[in-house]
Amino acid sequence: QVQLVESGGGSVQAGGSRRLSCADSGRTFSSYYMGWFRQAPGKEREFVAAISSTGFSTDYSTSVKGRFTISRDNAKNTLYLQMNSLKPEDTAVYYCAAGVSILTLIRRSVNYWGQGTQVTVSS
């Protein structure tokens, strides 16, 4: 069983940075590919970034590539999203997710979701 809990959300000014964390209390974290998604008010949930189970492969949406970095620490059962150069359009609820491949995560085929954490970027 995978139980994902996000943390690190909050308010930040444009141009600032924020790091999100996603902790799994289960025992199978290292076997899953992991991803971050976000959902802004009135919009669909969108893919942000994904990482392979080993951490060797990553993928990003074009809107965050070069600004956000996804990483994981399998010893700590924790996923991270380092967000730099934040923009007001990055304002959303951010969700972590577990899946079976980067491609299926990009297609929003997710096995487990976290509850989300709000990030608000002010101009």
Side-chain angles (χ1 to χ4, degrees), residues 12-18 67-68 82-87 121:
V12 61
Q13 289 196 328
S17 299
R18 200 86 184 177
R67 300 188 298 123
F68 290 12
Q82 177 66 43
M83 305 185 294
N84 298 329
S85 302
L86 283 161
K87 305 175 182 179
V121 184

Side-chain angles (χ1 to χ4, degrees), residues 34-106:
M34 299 296 297
W36 287 99
F37 292 76
R38 66 186 182 186
Q39 188 167 18
K43 295 188 176 181
E44 290 189 355
R45 192 171 299 188
E46 64 173 355
F47 168 79
V48 173
I51 189 168
S52 63
S53 56
T54 60
F56 290 154
S57 298
T58 59
D59 202 354
Y60 297 90
S61 69
T62 54
S63 61
V64 306
K65 199 167 189 176
R67 300 188 298 123
F68 290 12
T69 302
I70 188 171
S71 62
R72 67 190 295 163
D73 185 338
N74 284 343
K76 295 182 178 179
N77 283 3
T78 303
L79 175 74
Y80 302 100
L81 184 69
Q82 177 66 43
M83 305 185 294
N84 298 329
S85 302
L86 283 161
K87 305 175 182 179
E89 51 262 44
D90 294 318
T91 295
V93 177
Y94 284 72
Y95 299 88
C96 66
V100 297
S101 74
I102 288 180
L103 183 58
T104 56
L105 285 169
I106 290 173

Side-chain angles (χ1 to χ4, degrees), residues 106-118:
I106 290 173
R107 293 174 176 172
R108 291 192 292 176
S109 178
V110 170
N111 293 63
Y112 300 97
W113 290 101
Q115 86 288 350
T117 186
Q118 176 72 46

